[in-house]
Amino acid sequence: MKPSVGIRDVAHHAGVSNATVSNVLNRPDVVAPATRQRVLAAIEELGFVRNESARQLRAGRSRVIAYVVLDAANPFFTDVARGAEDAAREAGFALFLCNSASDAGREHEYLELLHEQRVEGILVTPVDGESAQIAERGTPVVLVDRESTDGTHCSVAVDDVLGGELAVTHLIENGHTRIAMVGGPLSIQQVRDRYEGAMRALTNAGLPQDALTLLETRGLQVAEGRGAGERLIGLPSSRRPTAAFCANDLLALGLLQSMTQQGLKVPDDLAVVGYDDIEFAAAAAVPLTSVRQPRDQLGRTAASLLLAENEPDHEHRHVKFQPELVVRASSAAKR
């Protein structure tokens, strides 16, 4: 194993003091150009890599922020993370990604580890409304895709109640009076909010509450959407929904697959609306109508709020974006 090269080795090779090498690394403007070039040449020749962790510990600051996502398998969260990463890089920071996989215990472990590593701050889409509180130990935290209810953190979110209302209103306006809501578990705040919006759309249209059939799922994955499709098809024809609003696009894509496997047509036999408008939505076999969330803006805004946490006059902000319905072939007007 090749021994590591230290500042002392670079200084000896370049014929300068340790302090001069340190200045080249940290304050290059105070070193004469010729000396600076000699030190940089020695660094290149010896393959010196600075110990950034040690430097950050001495300075009491890190050039790293982290994002604890709810589900790394969901393209929605990777798109949000990409926006956060872009904002972090522009400010000279790196973004580390951690996946809680909707597991509160795993989330807790990551938050504790990130605090111990003294990251500059943490973005988190919490498993539940209270779990992000455990990181309140001096490390700034910003909630992502979740509104801060007690004002102790900055937060960025989308008006999911409005999103659910937009989706179901669209289906009602297309002539559907028996609608399924596919999503779960309802312990997830975003799912509850979208369900509330769906019920609001029924009220606004003068339809009874039982016009909406809840098909609760154990998660928000494609397989759960396929399973919900099988349950929907198994309902008596007299009360089987003619349209479905899915709590996210992965569920909707699974539902589309289930309909195809059963020989049913979308939207003729079942109109489908998803949520998030991930890239795959428009590329589906039947292009998917979806409620679009500004994923890149969510990530960028969250990272910007986090990096502003250490400013002397910082005040917590709560940014809520408006969703937008994107209509495609999966929800064509009912004939």
Side-chain angles (χ1 to χ4, degrees):
M1 182 176 177
K2 184 180 178 181
S4 60
V5 176
I7 285 180
R8 186 174 300 174
D9 301 306
V10 174
H12 177 75
H13 192 79
V16 298
S17 67
N18 294 348
T20 298
V21 176
S22 179
N23 281 336
V24 169
L25 293 171
N26 300 299
R27 297 188 301 158
D29 54 299
V30 303
V31 183
T35 303
R36 185 166 67 243
Q37 285 303 118
R38 195 161 73 250
V39 171
L40 291 174
I43 287 172
E44 181 70 23
E45 291 170 18
L46 296 176
F48 169 78
V49 178
R50 71 188 300 168
N51 188 335
E52 183 65 14
S53 296
R55 186 191 70 81
Q56 290 173 1
L57 284 172
R58 289 192 299 271
R61 293 197 67 184
S62 169
R63 303 301 293 175
V64 171
I65 63 174
Y67 180 20
V68 183
V69 301
L70 192 65
D71 180 8
N74 186 337
F76 167 77
F77 290 110
T78 52
D79 287 348
V80 173
R82 189 179 300 118
E85 179 189 28
D86 289 344
R89 287 186 68 243
E90 290 165 8
F93 286 78
L95 178 76
F96 285 1
L97 195 64
C98 306
N99 178 28
S100 73
S102 300
D103 182 324
R106 183 165 166 167
E107 178 187 83
H108 175 84
E109 291 173 4
Y110 272 128
L111 291 170
E112 288 296 304
L113 177 62
L114 293 169
H115 177 77
E116 291 169 5
Q117 293 296 315
R118 301 187 186 183
V119 296
E120 183 73 4
I122 302 169
L123 305 173
V124 58
T125 301
V127 174
D128 60 61
E130 303 301 322
S131 56
Q133 302 294 332
I134 61 175
E136 193 65 58
R137 289 167 44 189
T139 306
V141 172
V142 171
L143 305 187
V144 183
D145 197 33
R146 180 71 57 81
E147 191 171 2
S148 178
T149 56
D150 57 11
T152 58
H153 300 93
C154 284
S155 65
V156 292
V158 173
D159 189 340
D160 283 322
V161 175
L162 174 60
E165 183 179 355
L166 288 173
V168 174
T169 297
H170 167 69
L171 293 171
I172 293 170
E173 289 175 346
N174 279 358
H176 297 280
T177 56
R178 296 198 308 273
I179 300 168
M181 165 79 185
V182 178
L186 287 177
S187 58
I188 297 175
Q189 182 66 51
Q190 293 94 324
V191 177
R192 289 202 304 275
D193 286 348
R194 293 165 197 179
Y195 178 65
E196 179 185 337
M199 298 301 286
R200 181 187 292 179
L202 295 180
T203 300
N204 292 342
L207 291 174
Q209 299 293 285
D210 62 5
L212 187 74
T213 300
L214 175 63
L215 296 176
E216 189 171 0
T217 59
R218 293 170 297 181
L220 298 168
Q221 298 81 30
V222 172
E224 289 291 327
R226 287 196 295 266
E230 294 171 3
R231 289 155 56 195
L232 188 149
I233 292 168
L235 293 173
S237 58
S238 61
R239 64 185 187 90
R240 184 184 302 152
T242 60
F245 165 47
C246 298
N248 77 353
D249 287 340
L250 297 183
L251 289 170
L253 292 172
L255 185 62
L256 286 173
Q257 289 178 6
S258 182
M259 295 299 104
T260 300
Q261 290 167 0
Q262 296 293 328
L264 300 178
K265 295 181 180 180
V266 174
D268 294 347
D269 297 311
L270 184 76
V272 178
V273 175
Y275 204 104
D276 291 338
D277 197 34
I278 61 176
E279 184 177 350
F280 300 122
V286 180
L288 181 65
T289 295
S290 186
V291 178
R292 176 178 293 167
Q293 300 199 73
R295 303 180 300 280
D296 183 78
Q297 277 185 282
L298 275 169
R300 280 183 167 275
T301 303
S304 298
L305 290 175
L306 187 65
L307 295 174
E309 284 273 346
N310 288 317
E311 294 177 359
D313 57 348
H314 174 76
E315 294 183 2
H316 290 316
R317 292 179 56 208
H318 312 288
V319 181
K320 181 176 282 190
F321 292 98
Q322 299 300 298
E324 173 191 0
L325 182 70
V326 180
V327 179
R328 300 190 180 96
S330 70
S331 65
K334 188 173 183 289
R335 288 196 287 265

